[in-house]
Structure formats: C-alpha cells, structure tokens
C-alpha cells in the first residue's frame, strides 16, 4: 500500500484510516502475551465510550523496547490496522536538527495533525534520538535542540485530556536505558512492553507467518523444514528469519525450481549468518585490529573461567583462528552428576559478561563491535533462567509458563530484577578483569603470537599473575 507521503513540515508519514496500515496482529508471531496486552488496548481504543463509562481509559503512551528487527514497528502498525485508525509514523531522528526551535515545532506539528484526525495513532521510532536523558553525553551534537523537542513531547502528552478524543502515542527504542525518565512517568509512556528475541517456538511461528506466500513440496515437508530452521536460529530476530525465507525463495526461483527445498533454506541461513559471522578458519585473512579484539576477548573469557569456574565444564584451550560472535574457548563436560547452587547461576551471568566488559574497557563504549554483541543477550538469558526457572529468586516458579510468555503484569518486575543481576554481574566482571589485568595482557600477547593457548598455560598465568589490589 502506498503512503500518502510526507506530511507538511513534520516529515511524518501518514496513513489514513480508509487506507489502513494493512497489518494485523496475525502478522506478528511469537510472544503471544504481547499481542494479548495490545489487543486490550485496541479494544479500548475502538470502544472508547463503553470503557470510559466503566472508568477505564486507554494509556496515553505505549513504549515498545527491544533489539532491532524484533517487530516493534510491525506491532505499532498492527495496532493501527486492527483499530482502523489513522497512523502517523515519525522517527526520533527527524526531530533532531541543528536549527534552534525546529525540533519543538516539528513535534508540535505532528501532534496537531494527529489531533485533527483523532482518534489516531502516532508512532515514533527510535524515540531515544530525541528522548535520551537530559544532561547525558551529547553524541552527535544538537543537545539543546533535542532537549527542546523532548520537552515538547512531554508537554503534548500532558496536554491531552483523558476525556477527549484519543491520540495514542507509541514509541519504539532499543535503548530503554538512555531514555529520559520523565518520558516513562505516569500519564506519558505508562505502558512499557519489552519485545525480545523469539524463543524456538516463537521462531517457528514467525517462520510460518513468512512462509504463508511461499511454495513447499507438501505441508509435512514445510513443517519439518521450518522446524529444523527454527532449531538452528537461536538469537535470530524476526527480521532475520524473514530474510532467510525471502532469500530461500530467490535461490529457488534462480534454479527454476517450483518448491523451496532444504538445500535453499540452509544456504539462505548460511548467508544470513554470514552477514555477522564469517566463521573463517584461516587467520591470515583476519585483519590485525580484529585479531587484537579477539585475543582480548578470549583472554578475558579465560580469566573469568579461572576465577569463577563453571561447575558443568572445564576449559581445554582457546584460539583466535576464527571469528565468531561467541567466544572460541573449547570445553570438556564435567563427568558425573553436577548440581548447581544459586551462586553458580550468578557466576554464569558474570562469566557471560566478559566479552562485552573487556571490549568496553579496552576500546571504549563507542568502539564496541559485533564480536561482543552476543554477550549481552547471553547474560540476560542466563539471568532470566535464574529468575524464572530455578525457583531460587523472589519470583519462584509460580509465574512461569513458557519461555517468552510471562504472565503480563510481571514483565516489569522481571525486568527490574534482571537489571539488578546484570548490573551486579557487569560490576563484578569489571573488577575481576581489572584485578587480573596483567594476566589478561599476557594471555592476549601469547594468542597474538601463537594463535592458540591451552588450559594448563592459562592456569599457570592466572595463578602467578601479579594482581591489582581490589577496591572495597
Ligand atoms: P523493529 O521495529 O523492532 O526494528 P520491524 O517491525 O521493523 O522491527 O521488523 C522488520 C520485519 O521483520 C517486520 O516487518 C516483519 O516482517 C519481520 N518480523 C520481525 N519480528 C516479527 C515477528 N515477531 N513476527 C513476524 N514477523 C516479524
């Protein structure tokens, strides 16, 4: 469907109610509880008066947060599509201009247009571009300008009366941590929903959505193939899964074949992985600066493995011969029965932080690259495991249904607890790596020279290393 194009000065895209976004909740798969929560909001939007009689009002703002490509924009469009309301889409970066006063007037403009079509929906993607913490680092300049824009958003949201026609504001961000807390206060974005990476079942459901218009030999064949791909795509986003199916479709057409087969799907998967993971085995092709980063990463992982040993496995050796988004360290499973205590789960979170912590420490936060990007998701996953599945935290096991399907109202509580564990883990990891900084450097040097280092040598360095005194 075509968009009506840019809307006056505000630059926002406008889709009228008659046209609709053409997107419904059935286009979003996985994380069913998110849909249930948003469906409730759509119900209220559609039957405003009935609900108001009962004293129930629609939230003014819904904030969707989570990694890019997880379907936040899709959900915002689905809300508009399902409610049959006009949709105004803007991007936080549209408001950030160097000329004084422009940001605020663009925001004003956008809200005025939306109000004239109310009930309607405003979607602001990358809201962090304009809504980051005031007084924070001024990346890219334009700080004062951005602040004006943010203040204007706050004014506009405070301005609508709950009793008058609704403008629902949906924001999306992958940086909840840098948003100005004023945005999250009651009466502004008071509904915060995390859109996370899909679970295996979620991935299968997403693949099925995007396989709807594709041809397979048979239903059973399709089911089996998608099941296999879902299994192989841990940590993939919905957007990446969609790419795999599209790419497989293209490969199939190129071969003049009628049906997508296993071969095309696996080839498409390999290509999709290749966009962030080369898996090269020949280190001569790895650029020097990447080698240095890899060496530091492996050294940090090794030190953490010595300091907080894993009860389930012991490490054998590591190398910098290949580039993967996960550490190259090899392990041996510990034989026999192993039981984990709470502290073991906590330690696993601390260990998972190592690639990210060392990269930030050595190269600076603005120079992070993808070789440490999996560490954050890994640590968050381990924290969720501890919180939700072990019964060892305040959550117990009672609230847990399936991965990614939490009883709705508990999501913010989970988030708070997860953040507490992650903050602890990052700090602990930092302090261990600082204490053992000289051992990290030694292991890094050996890796750069020989490309491989074995467990015995790592232990030796760890035990003999001069340590920096700990701050308490
Ligand atoms: P975000 O706004 O979170 O960056 P998008 O909504 O732009 O992500 O996602 C890009 C595309 O990826 C969507 O248009 C959709 O085709 C696909 N996609 C992402 N997540 C899902 C999902 N959960 N179910 C179905 N499709 C998805």
């Amino acid at each position: 469907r075509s968009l009506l194009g840019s809307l006056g000065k505000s630059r926002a895209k406008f889709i009228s109610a008659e046209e609709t976004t053409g997107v419904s909740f059935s286009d979003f798969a996985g994380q069913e509880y998110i849909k249930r929560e948003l469906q409730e909001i759509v119900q209220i939007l559609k039957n405003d008066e009935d609900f108001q009689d009962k004293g129930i009002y629609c939230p003014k703002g819904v904030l969707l947060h989570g990694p890019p490509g997880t379907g936040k924009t899709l959900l915002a469009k689905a809300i508009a599509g399902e409610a049959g309301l006009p949709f105004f889409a803007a991007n936080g970066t549209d408001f950030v201009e160097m000329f004084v006063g422009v940001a605020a007037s663009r925001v004003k403009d956008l809200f005025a247009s939306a109000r004239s079509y109310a009930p309607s929906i405003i979607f602001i993607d990358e809201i962090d571009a304009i809504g980051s913490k005031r007084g924070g680092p001024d990346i890219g300049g334009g700080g004062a300008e951005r602040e004006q824009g943010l203040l204007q958003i706050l004014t506009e949201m405070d301005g609508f009366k709950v009793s008058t026609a609704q403008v629902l504001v949906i924001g999306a961000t992958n940086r909840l941590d840098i948003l100005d807390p004023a945005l999250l206060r009651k009466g502004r974005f008071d509904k915060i929903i995390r859109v996370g990476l899909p679970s295996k079942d979620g991935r299968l459901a997403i693949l099925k959505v995007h396989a709807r218009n594709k041809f397979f030999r048979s239903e059973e064949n399709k089911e089996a193939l998608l099941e296999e791909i879902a299994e192989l795509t841990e940590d993939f986003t919905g957007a990446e899964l969609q790419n795999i199916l599209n790419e497989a479709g293209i490969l199939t057409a190129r071969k003049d074949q009628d049906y997508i087969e296993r071969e095309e799907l696996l080839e498409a998967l390999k290509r999709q992985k290749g966009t962030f993971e080369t898996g090269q085995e020949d280190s001569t092709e790895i650029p020097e600066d990447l080698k240095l980063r890899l060496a530091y990463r492996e050294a940090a992982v090794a030190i953490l493995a010595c300091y907080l040993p894993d009860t389930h496995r012991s490490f054998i050796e590591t190398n910098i011969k290949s580039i993967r988004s996960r550490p190259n360290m090899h392990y041996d499973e510990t034989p026999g029965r192993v039981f984990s205590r709470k502290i073991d789960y906590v330690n696993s979170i601390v260990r998972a932080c190592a690639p990210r912590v060392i990269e930030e420490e050595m190269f600076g936060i603005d120079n992070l690259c993808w070789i440490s990007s999996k560490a954050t998701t890994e640590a968050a996953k381990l924290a969720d495991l501890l919180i939700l599945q072990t019964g060892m935290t305040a959550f117990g096991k009672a609230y847990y249904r399936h991965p990614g399907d939490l009883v709705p109202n508990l999501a913010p509580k989970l988030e708070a607890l997860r953040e507490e564990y992650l903050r602890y883990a990052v700090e602990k990891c930092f302090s261990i790596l600082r204490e053992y900084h000289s051992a990290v450097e030694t292991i890094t040097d050996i890796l750069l020279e020989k490309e491989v280092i074995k467990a015995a040598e790592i232990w030796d360095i760890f035990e003999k290393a001069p340590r920096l005194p700990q701050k308490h």
Side-chain angles (χ1 to χ4, degrees):
R1 280 159 210 268
S2 71
L3 301 170
L4 281 188
S6 286
L7 195 100
K9 283 181 289 178
S10 84
R11 266 205 216 165
K13 301 231 169 48
F14 172 60
I15 302 175
S16 73
E18 290 70 42
E19 235 185 348
T20 85
T21 56
V23 176
S24 74
F25 283 129
S26 65
D27 295 309
F28 181 92
Q31 303 179 73
E32 292 299 317
Y33 71 93
I34 296 179
K35 279 202 271 192
R36 282 199 295 277
E37 278 203 65
L38 296 180
Q39 254 150 356
E40 248 171 62
I41 294 174
V42 168
Q43 280 308 318
I44 304 175
L45 272 172
K46 275 174 146 171
N47 309 296
D48 215 18
E49 277 156 26
D50 292 358
F51 279 92
Q52 277 177 23
D53 290 345
K54 298 192 192 108
I56 298 171
Y57 296 100
C58 189
K60 282 187 182 176
V62 176
L63 186 71
L64 303 171
H65 75 102
T70 47
K72 298 182 292 298
T73 310
L74 187 69
L75 282 170
K77 286 186 179 163
I79 297 175
E82 297 263 348
L85 296 180
F87 183 72
F88 295 80
N91 189 297
T93 55
D94 297 345
F95 302 112
V96 187
E97 293 257 332
M98 295 314 221
F99 305 110
V100 180
V102 174
S105 80
R106 284 214 172 126
V107 171
K108 228 187 251 174
D109 235 46
L110 173 63
F111 278 81
S113 316
R115 235 178 256 126
S116 69
Y117 281 87
S120 63
I121 290 175
I122 290 179
F123 175 59
I124 307 177
D125 199 3
E126 295 185 68
I127 192 163
D128 45 284
I130 187 171
S132 56
K133 282 186 192 105
R134 283 165 284 180
D138 189 6
I139 299 161
E145 189 48 25
R146 196 171 52 216
E147 195 164 323
Q148 297 278 315
L150 172 60
L151 285 174
Q152 192 61 39
I153 292 187
L154 298 177
T155 310
E156 298 286 350
M157 290 185 84
D158 292 344
F160 340 125
K161 291 192 211 75
V162 263
S163 54
T164 57
Q166 280 281 355
V167 175
L168 173 67
V169 187
I170 304 174
T173 180
N174 47 24
R175 295 298 311 273
L176 186 63
D177 55 323
I178 62 166
L179 279 195
D180 196 297
L183 272 174
L184 309 179
R185 236 161 262 151
K186 194 109 211 89
R188 291 163 182 171
F189 288 99
D190 42 18
K191 186 127 204 124
I192 301 176
I193 297 178
R194 177 171 169 82
V195 188
L197 291 173
S199 62
K200 194 197 142 207
D201 290 344
R203 294 195 296 274
L204 181 59
I206 294 171
L207 287 166
K208 281 184 182 164
V209 164
H210 294 289
R212 284 192 297 215
N213 57 356
K214 306 254 176 334
F215 296 101
F216 290 82
R217 205 157 9 100
S218 67
E219 247 342 274
E220 296 81 59
N221 183 245
K222 167 170 153 183
E223 186 81 22
L225 288 176
L226 297 186
E227 179 85 33
E228 183 179 354
I229 297 295
E231 188 77 55
L232 295 171
T233 44
E234 202 191 327
D235 288 346
F236 275 55
T237 64
E240 286 165 342
L241 294 169
Q242 180 187 16
N243 279 347
I244 292 176
L245 279 172
N246 287 343
E247 184 78 29
I250 294 169
L251 291 170
T252 306
R254 224 178 262 158
K255 290 186 191 165
D256 236 350
Q257 231 169 253
D258 291 338
Y259 305 115
I260 296 180
E261 302 279 1
R262 186 163 181 271
E263 193 187 326
E264 288 79 55
L265 278 169
L266 291 181
E267 174 62 26
L269 170 66
K270 207 167 100 194
R271 291 189 185 187
Q272 182 62 37
K273 279 195 169 166
T275 58
F276 58 89
E277 200 169 280
T278 67
Q280 289 165 349
E281 287 300 330
D282 183 0
S283 65
T284 52
E285 287 175 30
I286 303 177
E288 286 305 315
D289 47 350
L290 202 47
K291 257 192 196 170
L292 180 66
R293 283 174 187 258
L294 282 173
Y296 269 119
R297 181 183 76 182
E298 298 305 319
V301 168
I303 290 302
L304 262 292
C306 295
Y307 195 99
L308 302 172
D310 190 331
T311 44
H312 288 272
R313 50 190 199 169
S314 49
F315 59 92
I316 308 169
E317 63 163 58
T318 187
N319 64 67
I320 55 166
K321 288 183 181 170
S322 61
I323 321 177
R324 296 207 170 75
S325 53
R326 287 215 167 80
N328 291 353
M329 182 70 95
H330 292 292
Y331 300 88
D332 229 356
E333 297 297 312
T334 305
R337 284 176 75 151
V338 177
F339 75 98
S340 295
R341 300 155 302 163
K342 185 171 177 183
I343 186 67
D344 298 316
Y345 288 104
V346 174
N347 288 347
S348 71
I349 309 172
V350 181
R351 283 193 304 270
C353 293
R356 166 66 200 260
V357 167
I358 194 72
E359 196 170 41
E360 185 169 332
E361 178 86 340
M362 300 313 302
F363 302 93
I365 189 140
D366 292 330
N367 285 310
L368 292 173
C369 82
W370 57 267
I371 65 161
S372 72
S373 59
K374 286 270 158 84
T376 329
T377 19
E378 190 85 21
K381 236 189 234 169
L382 289 165
D384 283 1
L385 173 81
L386 167 61
I387 297 168
L388 294 170
Q389 293 196 46
T390 62
M392 296 177 195
T393 64
F395 264 71
K397 270 188 165 174
Y399 303 119
Y400 177 71
R401 285 188 204 148
H402 321 281
D405 190 6
L406 199 63
V407 178
N409 292 335
L410 286 169
K413 283 191 195 147
L414 164 65
E415 216 138 278
L417 197 53
R418 180 201 289 136
E419 199 167 316
E420 224 173 278
Y421 276 112
L422 289 181
R423 189 165 301 148
Y424 165 81
V426 167
E427 268 166 29
K428 178 92 190 162
C429 190
F430 253 121
S431 94
I432 296 168
L433 289 174
R434 288 216 176 112
E435 186 183 347
Y436 280 89
H437 186 77
S438 100
V440 170
E441 293 290 349
T442 310
I443 296 172
T444 302
D445 287 342
I446 292 173
L447 278 169
L448 287 173
E449 194 192 336
K450 300 192 183 144
E451 296 192 343
V452 187
I453 184 164
K454 296 214 182 297
E457 197 172 356
I458 292 174
W459 276 111
D460 195 49
I461 294 166
F462 176 78
E463 274 153 15
K464 293 190 183 137
R467 285 149 56 184
L468 277 186
Q470 284 279 62
K471 266 189 253 144
H472 286 291

